Amino acid sequence: MTRMHKENNLSKNQQIIFDLIDKSPEPLKAYTILFNVQKKGINAPPQVYRALDKLVEIGKIHKIESKNAFVACKNSDCEISKATAFSICESCEMVDEISDTKLSKYLSSFNHKKGMKFKRFNLEFFGICKKCK
Amino acid sequence: MTRMHKENNLSKNQQIIFDLIDKSPEPLKAYTILFNVQKKGINAPPQVYRALDKLVEIGKIHKIESKNAFVACKNSDCEISKATAFSICESCEMVDEISDTKLSKYLSSFNHKKGMKFKRFNLEFFGICKKCK
DNA sequence: TTAGAATTGTTATAATATAACAGTATGTAA
DNA sequence: TTACATACTGTTATATTATAACAATTCTAA
Ligand SMILES: [Zn+2]
Ligand SMILES: [Zn+2]
Ligand SMILES: [Zn+2]
Ligand SMILES: [Zn+2]
């Protein structure tokens, strides 16, 4: 029993949690996820965090660091999460993943004066969205 | 007693906590700060978090969101924290504030396709620093 | 088929952050 | 100077976010 869902490489818990995040219009927090998947047999925080860690690692979801919340990747898995950018409304908390090739290229090729070579970046923009204006 | 330190606008607790962060070579976490200021009479988390909130608000320190840790601003208070960028070593955890006018201007003038006007951004670059190479 | 790797289930606990309430200090303006 | 508003402080308790540790099962590939 408890078969892997080979069609997309996700395990049972990973799939359940990804589906929940993917269909949510807003970022979900770990314990919100936990409460919502208890009916499916996921009972404890480590089960949620392990799935989240894996989903982040493979680029299916991203963590919004300023909110401790998770969103599904809308951008063909962001080259496995090496270059992420988000717009965040400070009023309604809505989060949108920004897909802008120019921005991504500009930042990916940005080099630190101190000679550090970057492997990854995360950018969070804050403002008031159209709806909230 | 407990006079305001008017020379720089910081209250007693704010000054104690700012001094600690400012002289630290690395980001400090809230409870690390708490342990280090208990000898100065700051005993409880809310005292630390209130000072941190204020210091962030006035741009004296920044929160490194991916680490839940705080660093002093090295950049004339970043126009009150509207535009922050950091480089973070994934090996030694060192954090450097990036001061790059071009980068800052580029991002400050970046406009979202969906019409949202940004007021603020935070950017975190990750890599391996020179020392750790 | 069998050994290693990945995943799961479970209990307990660590680490991060805030609520709520009471009191004190400071600046301003009548 | 008094009175008021604002900011800051102290304190206890609690909420929220995340991980440690261990045992078992399932998957994968040789
Ligand atoms: Zn993405
Ligand atoms: Zn909004
Ligand atoms: Zn700064
Ligand atoms: Zn390093």
Side-chain angles (χ1 to χ4, degrees):
Chain A
M1 226 38 59
T2 308
R3 315 198 57 69
M4 283 283 262
H5 297 222
K6 287 304 304 304
E7 65 274 12
N8 53 15
N9 271 336
L10 297 183
S11 74
K12 172 174 148 284
N13 288 359
Q14 290 159 14
Q15 187 69 57
I16 290 169
I17 287 172
F18 174 74
D19 287 345
L20 183 69
I21 296 171
D22 191 41
K23 70 178 206 282
S24 169
E26 54 190 21
L28 292 180
K29 290 171 162 267
Y31 277 73
T32 304
I33 292 167
L34 177 57
F35 298 143
N36 278 282
V37 297
Q38 284 184 325
K39 57 180 98 74
K40 305 218 171 177
I42 296 175
N43 302 302
Q47 297 175 290
V48 172
Y49 281 101
R50 285 191 294 230
L52 290 172
D53 287 349
K54 186 68 180 183
L55 290 167
V56 166
E57 183 193 326
I58 64 179
K60 299 287 289 181
I61 66 172
H62 303 301
K63 182 173 186 180
I64 307 301
E65 295 286 357
S66 62
K67 300 169 77 70
N68 297 319
F70 299 84
V71 295
C73 177
K74 301 303 185 195
N75 195 12
S76 57
D77 303 352
C78 288
E79 312 170 63
I80 315 179
S81 303
K82 295 278 177 286
T84 48
F86 303 93
S87 74
I88 301 170
C89 175
E90 288 176 313
S91 169
C92 70
E93 313 272 279
M94 174 228 55
V95 170
D96 250 354
E97 186 163 1
I98 295 173
S99 173
D100 185 299
T101 310
K102 267 190 177 171
L103 174 67
S104 183
K105 279 193 175 149
Y106 180 84
L107 292 176
S108 295
S109 67
F110 180 81
N111 277 308
H112 194 10
K113 284 174 184 129
K114 300 190 179 166
M116 184 164 163
K117 179 70 186 143
F118 299 129
K119 293 190 305 196
R120 177 167 78 81
F121 69 80
N122 181 56
L123 171 58
E124 298 181 2
F125 283 105
F126 301 86
I128 303 293
C129 78
K130 264 177 154 174
K131 275 187 206 156
C132 291
K133 275 232 194 69
Chain B
M1 222 42 55
T2 308
R3 312 199 59 68
M4 284 284 263
H5 295 224
K6 287 306 304 304
E7 67 273 13
N8 53 16
N9 271 335
L10 298 184
S11 74
K12 172 174 149 284
N13 288 0
Q14 291 159 14
Q15 187 70 57
I16 290 169
I17 287 173
F18 175 73
D19 287 345
L20 183 69
I21 296 171
D22 192 40
K23 70 177 206 286
S24 169
E26 52 191 21
L28 293 180
K29 291 173 161 265
Y31 277 73
T32 304
I33 292 167
L34 177 57
F35 298 143
N36 278 281
V37 297
Q38 284 184 325
K39 56 179 99 74
K40 305 220 170 175
I42 296 176
N43 302 303
Q47 297 175 289
V48 172
Y49 281 102
R50 285 191 292 229
L52 290 173
D53 287 349
K54 187 68 180 183
L55 290 167
V56 166
E57 182 192 327
I58 65 179
K60 299 286 289 179
I61 66 172
H62 302 301
K63 182 173 187 182
I64 308 301
E65 295 286 358
S66 61
K67 301 170 75 70
N68 296 321
F70 299 84
V71 296
C73 178
K74 302 302 185 196
N75 195 10
S76 57
D77 304 352
C78 288
E79 311 170 62
I80 314 179
S81 303
K82 295 278 178 284
T84 49
F86 304 93
S87 74
I88 301 170
C89 175
E90 288 176 313
S91 169
C92 70
E93 311 272 279
M94 174 228 56
V95 171
D96 249 355
E97 185 163 2
I98 294 172
S99 173
D100 186 298
T101 310
K102 265 190 181 171
L103 175 67
S104 183
K105 277 194 175 147
Y106 180 85
L107 291 176
S108 295
S109 67
F110 180 82
N111 278 307
H112 195 10
K113 284 174 183 130
K114 298 190 181 168
M116 184 164 163
K117 179 70 185 142
F118 299 130
K119 294 191 304 196
R120 179 167 76 81
F121 69 81
N122 181 58
L123 171 59
E124 298 182 3
F125 283 105
F126 302 87
I128 303 295
C129 78
K130 264 176 154 176
K131 275 188 207 156
C132 292
K133 273 231 193 71

